[in-house]
Amino acid sequence: MQAAEGEQVALPPRAEQDRAGARHDPRRRREDWVRRHLRAETRYLFPQRKANAGGTKAFPRASYNQALAAFSDLAQITDSTGRRVHLSHTHRFRHTRLTRLAELGLPIHVLQRYAGHASPTMSMHYLAHRDEHAEQAFVATRKFKADGTLIAFTREDHDGLHLFNRADRFLPNGFCLLPPLQQCDKGNACLTCGVFVTDDSHIDSLQRQLAETNELIERTTAAFEVRHGVPMPT
């Protein structure tokens, strides 16, 4: 309810504010449940709900997995391809978390410590998944030539871009498919080059480049007409 101009509105008591906030905060809801039912601190994220006054018992794994499977069927969670994802154990959450951290570029030694892995071998598994997912997403994205022609992008093209870590193959407005060992002799004339491709991820850069080009044309033609008194030939 909105207050009229100059009218003061009484705020709810602090306790009511806390209760309202707790309803929308899963962590606070858990802490509130622990205080009311266990009356003790517990080191378990999911403590046993009954016969656990001291908070020393974890929620039974079989019961938790059963509840997780029921939730999975109810929520009908799907992956990026639309396939159903059946959750039956919590390790999938751990796998998801570590994969996300790897995708964010977390160094391997930090990922190893965070995951508690005894060696970096297991941590490298998540980095491999990260690179594989990035490659799949990159290849699947539609690629266009400068004239708008749709081209099929292959894994060989992907490997050619990354081979020798050539920074000049990744452009502000697209990609250069020139073989890694060849040198470009066209300068910055990428939009007229047959090995230039781009995709939807560069749309903002391309639109900005188009606007800047149109503005340059307008300035140049206006300056020509002012200087010569006739429109610039087309």
Side-chain angles (χ1 to χ4, degrees), residues 36 45 59 87 101 131 143 148 160 163 173 180 182 185 189-190:
R36 287 187 288 106
L45 178 62
F59 195 77
L87 302 176
L101 291 175
D131 295 339
K143 301 294 188 298
L163 198 59
N173 54 357
Q182 293 187 20
D185 58 359
C190 297

Side-chain angles (χ1 to χ4, degrees), residues 18-19 21-22 25-33 35:
D18 290 342
R19 283 194 295 270
D25 187 339
R27 183 174 59 181
R28 293 181 61 184
R29 289 175 60 184
R30 173 191 174 278
E31 294 173 351
D32 183 61
W33 185 93
R35 283 195 299 268

